[in-house]
Amino acid sequence: MTVEHDISMSARADIFKALGHAARLAMVIALGKGERCVCELQEVVGSDMSTVSKHLTVLRAVGLVEADKRGKQVYYSLKLPCTLGFVECVDKALRERGH
Amino acid sequence: MTVEHDISMSARADIFKALGHAARLAMVIALGKGERCVCELQEVVGSDMSTVSKHLTVLRAVGLVEADKRGKQVYYSLKLPCTLGFVECVDKALRERGH
DNA sequence: TGGTCATTTGGTCAAGTAGCCAATTGTTCT
DNA sequence: AGAACAATTGGCTACTTGACCAAATGACCA
């Protein structure tokens, strides 16, 4: 068997849903290069810090990222690096049909 | 470089978004085993056929699946099989924290 | 041609999501 | 203690989504 069926379909879908937003996906890709604090991620996506923080809450809720508070800053890191592999496959498909 | 940055982030995110719904993800997983007509997919997810059809429109719009009309039926097939690989990785993570 | 079956489309409504601002929490520095 | 900074939370509004029903399309069969 390749794909398991005893895991809730919505639990799986929630992970995709969390990645289904340009800002959140951009942050996950940035985290692929190493941990970043919220203010650094804010620069990546360019929106209000409160918005960034809420996006990070979504990513944390599904276990895609992990938060580590150190001093005044909170550092986020990627817990599911295989996400980047899928992004590459998606990119390949998008390139093939000419973005 | 591992992840390209000249491809629109929202184009990528739209693919994740399309997968971010239990019914759509279930259909994609079912299509991983081979092509299926809409009525077969309807049995997989159990909702109204019009709802299933709209979900399939979403998947088709982002290029995840392909439609082929043969006689009265429309057969859908999976265009991005690497999706299944990511689902497996997601499953592994979900299992590790005890679904 | 008329009927039936598979699928799609249009419309409506309830529910969910994203963004911003303002206010709050918690930490460091003086 | 009080100022300054990083991050989170609450609240509001605008927008998007999902589900169902009803109606339309399109293919096959009698």
Side-chain angles (χ1 to χ4, degrees):
Chain A
M1 203 201 303
T2 325
V3 172
E4 299 231 1
H5 275 283
D6 54 343
I7 289 175
S8 144
M9 199 57 75
S10 22
R12 293 195 264 222
D14 284 346
I15 292 180
F16 283 98
K17 196 194 265 179
L19 293 164
H21 187 287
R24 287 193 295 261
L25 186 55
M27 291 194 282
V28 164
I29 290 173
L31 292 176
K33 291 170 202 139
E35 61 171 21
R36 298 278 187 274
C37 67
V38 180
C39 58
E40 285 169 321
L41 293 170
Q42 183 189 11
E43 284 179 12
V44 171
V45 305
S47 30
D48 196 275
M49 190 183 278
S50 68
T51 302
V52 172
S53 178
K54 277 173 185 172
H55 281 314
L56 286 165
T57 302
V58 172
L59 292 173
R60 202 157 18 91
V62 299
L64 273 165
V65 304
E66 195 166 43
D68 180 24
K69 184 160 197 168
R70 290 206 299 275
K72 271 191 286 193
Q73 276 121 322
V74 177
Y75 286 90
Y76 280 83
S77 54
L78 184 56
K79 271 179 86 181
L80 215 67
C82 63
T83 308
L84 303 172
F86 184 50
V87 170
E88 278 185 56
C89 173
V90 162
D91 281 2
K92 198 170 143 239
L94 287 172
R95 246 179 284 123
E96 270 162 21
R97 35 186 116 122
H99 31 315
Chain B
M1 203 200 301
T2 325
V3 173
E4 299 230 0
H5 275 283
D6 54 343
I7 290 175
S8 145
M9 199 55 75
S10 22
R12 292 196 265 222
D14 284 346
I15 292 180
F16 282 99
K17 196 195 265 178
L19 293 164
H21 186 286
R24 288 193 295 262
L25 186 56
M27 291 194 283
V28 164
I29 290 172
L31 291 175
K33 291 169 204 139
E35 62 171 19
R36 299 277 187 275
C37 69
V38 181
C39 57
E40 285 169 321
L41 293 170
Q42 183 189 10
E43 283 178 12
V44 170
V45 305
S47 30
D48 196 274
M49 189 181 279
S50 69
T51 302
V52 172
S53 178
K54 276 174 184 168
H55 281 313
L56 286 166
T57 302
V58 172
L59 292 172
R60 204 158 16 92
V62 299
L64 272 164
V65 304
E66 196 167 41
D68 180 24
K69 184 159 195 167
R70 290 206 299 274
K72 271 190 285 192
Q73 276 120 323
V74 177
Y75 287 90
Y76 280 84
S77 54
L78 184 56
K79 271 179 88 181
L80 216 66
C82 62
T83 308
L84 302 172
F86 184 49
V87 170
E88 278 184 56
C89 172
V90 162
D91 281 2
K92 199 171 141 236
L94 287 172
R95 246 178 285 124
E96 270 162 20
R97 35 187 117 118
H99 33 318

